[in-house]
Amino acid sequence: MMRLIFKIMAVLVAAIVLYNLWIFGHIVYWRSHNPAASAFMNEQLAKLQEDDPEAELRQKWVPYAQISPNLKRALIAAEDAKFADHEGFDWDGIEAAFEKNLKQGRIVAGGSTISQQLAKNLFLSSKKTPWRKLEEAAITVMLEKVLDKRRIFEIYLNVIEWGNGVFGAEAAARYYFHTSAARLSAGQAAKLAAMVPNPRYYDEHRNATGLMKKTRIIQRRMAFADLP
C-alpha cells in the first residue's frame, strides 16, 4: 500500500515539474517572441462562442514604444506603484490588502502586482483556488527571473482584458475611444486603468460613479508613476 502511495506521489511530482518546465519554456521563448494568446483569452473566447460560434476577440499586438506613456503611467499608478522596484511581489501591498479584507470580512482588495496579474492571465483560469495562488506565485518568480521589467510590462499591456472580448491596449483604445493606443490622452488612459479590476462590468457601465471617481484619483497619481 505504501509503495502504491509513493508511486502516485512520484507521478504527481513529475507531472508538476513537467508542467512548470513547460511554462518556463514558454517564458524563455517570449523574451524574443510575442504570445499568440493567453489562458484568459482562450477562456473568454470559449464563453463567447457558446452564444455565437462566429465570435472573435478584439486584440492586436503593438510594440511598447507604440503605447502612450499616459496609459503606462495610469496602469502603474492604479495597479502597482512599486512595479519598477519590486521583484514580483509587493509585500506591503499584500499586507495592506489582507488587513483590509479582514476588516471588511470579505475579499475587497487583492494586492497583486502587475507581474502576478500577468502570470495569472497568461497561464491560469479565472477560478480562485489555493492551488492557483501557489502556481501564480511560481510563475511570477519565473517571469521576473527570465524577463526584464519592460518586457513584462509590454506583454501585460497587450494581453490584459478590457471588456467583453476586448484584450490589450490597442483594441481597448479603439473600442472605447476610437483612437490608437499611441494617442491616448491622460484622461482616457486613466479611465482605462480604472476599468482593469472589473472590465466586463465597466464595459456595460461606462459612466458608473465609482469608475469616474477612480479615474480622477488615478489621473492625479500618474505624474508620480515610474516607468520601466
Side-chain angles (χ1 to χ4, degrees):
M1 185 66 180
M2 289 300 296
R3 186 177 297 176
L4 177 61
I5 292 173
F6 283 131
K7 284 184 178 180
I8 293 172
M9 289 180 64
V11 169
L12 288 174
V13 169
I16 291 170
V17 170
L18 288 173
Y19 173 67
N20 281 280
L21 285 173
W22 175 81
I23 289 174
F24 184 77
H26 278 75
I27 294 172
V28 171
Y29 181 75
W30 290 336
R31 282 195 295 196
S32 56
H33 298 79
N34 300 327
S38 69
F40 265 37
M41 285 183 200
N42 293 332
E43 183 179 292
Q44 183 62 9
L45 180 60
K47 289 179 180 178
L48 292 173
Q49 289 182 341
E50 288 177 3
D51 296 324
D52 178 9
E54 302 299 320
E56 295 182 355
L57 300 179
R58 293 181 174 89
Q59 196 260 354
K60 180 182 178 182
W61 187 281
V62 288
Y64 187 83
Q66 293 179 24
I67 299 174
S68 170
N70 287 323
L71 184 59
K72 297 168 187 172
R73 293 185 184 281
L75 283 168
I76 288 177
E79 296 294 304
D80 190 359
K82 298 179 181 179
F83 174 67
D85 301 317
H86 64 61
E87 295 183 354
F89 306 93
D90 179 2
W91 299 111
D92 291 335
I94 292 171
E95 182 180 357
F98 176 78
E99 291 175 354
K100 189 173 183 179
N101 293 335
L102 195 63
K103 184 177 180 180
Q104 294 291 327
R106 59 191 178 90
I107 298 177
V108 295
S112 292
T113 63
I114 283 173
S115 299
Q116 287 175 274
Q117 291 179 43
L118 181 59
K120 176 181 65 179
N121 278 273
L122 284 173
F123 293 105
L124 306 175
S125 75
S126 58
K127 295 179 181 178
K128 296 181 179 180
T129 64
W131 161 255
R132 196 196 75 169
K133 293 303 293 184
L134 288 172
E135 189 60 34
E136 177 188 300
I139 297 169
T140 298
V141 172
M142 292 185 219
L143 287 169
E144 288 279 341
K145 294 299 182 183
V146 175
L147 308 177
D148 61 32
K149 288 288 187 177
R150 178 166 169 158
R151 183 57 174 165
I152 290 172
F153 199 27
E154 179 181 35
I155 296 174
Y156 175 85
L157 286 160
N158 277 284
V159 303
I160 58 170
E161 185 178 15
W162 251 305
N164 291 301
V166 181
F167 289 84
E170 184 69 15
R174 296 196 179 278
Y175 181 63
Y176 292 108
F177 301 114
H178 308 291
T179 188
S180 67
R183 298 177 63 86
L184 286 166
S185 68
Q188 291 168 339
K191 187 171 184 179
L192 286 179
M195 296 175 70
V196 167
N198 202 351
R200 279 173 250 167
Y201 174 82
Y202 289 128
D203 187 354
E204 298 177 1
H205 302 84
R206 301 186 189 188
N207 295 311
T209 302
L211 179 62
M212 296 300 102
K213 181 180 179 181
K214 190 174 180 181
T215 297
R216 290 191 292 270
I217 293 171
I218 292 169
Q219 194 164 356
R220 289 196 296 270
R221 294 176 178 174
M222 285 167 61
F224 305 102
D226 294 327
L227 300 183

